[in-house]
Each structure stands twice: as C-alpha cells, then as structure tokens.
C-alpha cells in the first residue's frame, strides 16, 4: 500500500524503488505462495508483473499504475 501512496502522489522515482522492493519480496516468497495455491499464485504473479510494468514505464501514468495496483491488491488479499 506504500507503493499506492507514491503512485497517487505521482512520485515515480520513489515508486520505482518501492516496486523493486516489492519484486524482491515477491520473488523471495514465490515458492511458499505457489505451493499454497498454484492457481491463485499464477493470477497474483501476473498482477504483480503488471504493477511492476506500469510503475516502471518510461511513459508513467499514475492512473493506469493506480488501477494495476488496486487490481493486484484485490488479488493478493486472497493470500492473507
């Protein structure tokens, strides 16, 4: 959700750094999450990939990044 705040504030540089943290954390937990729910993991992984792509886009758009983040948060809630 910190990433969402950065995107809402149109702070792309800080958002990119937070996206890298998200990617690292995601990669570090991928095996555990995948083992818990392979189908759900595939959906979540795709949503995280979309977030990373939007936030890192050279033509940064806060609205499309926000949309991707909100969709991803909804998908990721299934793992909590």
């Amino acid at each position: 959700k910190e990433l969402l705040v950065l995107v809402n504030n149109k702070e792309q540089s800080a958002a990119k750094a937070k996206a890298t943290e998200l990617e690292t954390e995601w990669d570090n937990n991928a095996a555990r999450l995948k083992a818990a729910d392979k189908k759900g993991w595939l959906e979540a992984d795709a949503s995280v990939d979309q977030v990373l792509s939007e936030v890192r886009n050279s033509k940064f758009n806060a609205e499309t990044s926000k949309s991707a983040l909100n969709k991803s948060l909804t998908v990721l809630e299934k793992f909590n």
Side-chain angles (χ1 to χ4, degrees):
K1 294 187 181 186
E2 292 174 35
L3 182 54
L4 185 56
V5 171
L6 295 170
V7 167
N8 282 332
N9 292 333
K10 299 179 181 175
E11 298 178 37
Q12 186 184 20
S13 181
K16 282 182 177 181
K18 186 57 74 175
T20 297
E21 290 178 27
L22 168 65
E23 183 177 35
T24 300
E25 189 72 23
W26 182 253
D27 290 345
N28 289 341
N29 289 289
R32 179 181 56 83
L33 295 170
K34 192 174 184 179
D37 181 354
K38 186 174 182 176
K39 182 179 177 189
W41 180 84
L42 291 171
E43 181 182 9
D45 189 54
S47 76
V48 169
D49 286 345
Q50 185 63 40
V51 167
L52 297 174
S53 177
E54 290 295 339
V55 170
R56 293 172 173 162
N57 192 322
S58 63
K59 296 179 182 177
F60 178 73
N61 181 306
E63 290 305 313
T64 57
S65 294
K66 181 178 169 180
S67 177
L69 274 161
N70 284 324
K71 287 177 185 176
S72 188
L73 287 169
T74 298
V75 171
L76 293 171
E77 285 178 3
K78 296 175 186 177
F79 284 105
N80 291 331

